[in-house]
Amino acid sequence: GDSVTQMEGPVTLSEEAFLTINCTYTATGYPSLFWYVQYPGEGLQLLLKATKADDKGSNKGFEATYRKETTSFHLEKGSVQVSDSAVYFCALKGNSGYSTLTFGKGTMLLVSP
Amino acid sequence: DTAVSQTPKYLVTQMGNDKSIKCEQNLGHDTMYWYKQDSKKFLKIMFSYNNKELIINETVPNRFSPKSPDKAHLNLHINSLELGDSAVYFCASSQAAGRMSNEKLFFGSGTQLSVL
């Protein structure tokens, strides 16, 4: 079945540092790929998505590129802020029937001033 | 206005009790979901309803029974609560289901259930 593997956290960075959170997936066919973010005490929110190979999703300074050859969708940001502290979830959605989102286990990001 | 709202936000109860969590969305979406998030933040789909019909039912104990009186509401009733049911439960909605969905889920802020 479909699965998503993302790096264990927490990831601890200083403000303005470069961020990478790795995500790889296993799926048949051509899934859509997502990053969701969960701020403390809140539900998840869609951060960005890509629906086909080589697409780049971007939002709020975050980027991720759909790499089919490496089955990866790594999240990057050039300069993190304290307000980026949250849990980040990589997810995929298969393209058959009533498939729903399959989430990775989440990676907590802690940014200190 | 909150797009997806669920109540209560916190629920503390004894083992063996029966409890319900309510969810409402005002986005006009056709599909609603229940997810369970454990203490390690792992998020797992439990149920999905499309236009009041159950379309996804993952391996969940039959003590959990979802009910959708209309497409804007999806409630979760849990019988005979157990310690292992302690988790955060998230309701979510999306515009459609399956291949035609726009794939963006809108989540509620969660219900933290603690079973003592």
Side-chain angles (χ1 to χ4, degrees), chain A residues 32 34 36 38 41-44 46 49 51 87 89 93 95-98 100-101 103 105, chain B residues 9 33 35 37 40-43 55-56 90 97-99 101-105 107-109:
Chain A
S32 296
F34 308 82
Y36 276 78
Q38 183 181 23
E42 299 183 11
L44 280 71
L46 180 65
K49 72 174 188 179
T51 56
V87 181
F89 292 87
K93 181 180 179 300
N95 55 9
S96 60
Y98 279 122
T100 186
L101 286 177
F103 287 92
K105 292 190 175 182
Chain B
K9 188 167 178 64
Y33 311 80
Y35 282 84
Q37 185 176 48
K40 295 183 178 178
K41 301 291 186 184
F42 183 55
L43 201 65
I55 55 172
I56 291 175
F90 285 99
R99 200 170 292 157
S101 82
N102 71 0
E103 301 162 334
K104 179 175 180 178
L105 264 60
F107 281 81
S109 57

Side-chain angles (χ1 to χ4, degrees), chain A residues 7-91:
Chain A
M7 60 192 290
E8 296 247 354
V11 172
T12 306
L13 295 172
S14 298
E15 211 165 21
E16 299 184 5
F18 184 85
L19 168 71
T20 300
I21 300 179
N22 289 338
C23 171
T24 56
Y25 67 90
T26 302
T28 53
Y30 301 91
S32 296
L33 302 173
F34 308 82
W35 278 99
Y36 276 78
V37 58
Q38 183 181 23
Y39 297 104
E42 299 183 11
L44 280 71
Q45 306 170 28
L46 180 65
L47 180 60
L48 54 86
K49 72 174 188 179
T51 56
K52 61 182 189 296
D54 300 326
D55 267 3
K56 178 186 281 188
S58 61
N59 185 24
K60 300 182 182 179
F62 290 89
E63 292 183 340
T65 301
Y66 188 144
R67 300 278 188 212
K68 188 156 178 62
E69 63 276 13
T70 54
T71 61
S72 65
F73 193 55
H74 305 322
L75 182 68
E76 296 182 337
K77 186 175 185 183
S79 175
V80 294
Q81 305 300 314
V82 172
S83 57
D84 293 327
S85 297
V87 181
Y88 291 82
F89 292 87
C90 187

Side-chain angles (χ1 to χ4, degrees), chain A residues 103, chain B residues 34-37 42-47 58-59:
Chain A
F103 287 92
Chain B
W34 277 108
Y35 282 84
K36 178 180 179 181
Q37 185 176 48
F42 183 55
L43 201 65
K44 187 171 170 54
I45 181 77
M46 299 174 70
F47 302 102
E58 292 295 310
T59 307

Side-chain angles (χ1 to χ4, degrees), chain B residues 23-25 29-30 32 49 51-52 67-75:
Chain B
C23 179
E24 175 182 5
Q25 54 94 4
H29 287 168
D30 290 331
M32 297 185 71
Y49 270 72
N51 271 320
K52 302 191 298 175
K67 282 192 169 48
S68 183
D70 55 63
K71 73 173 191 176
H73 295 83
L74 180 62
N75 303 322

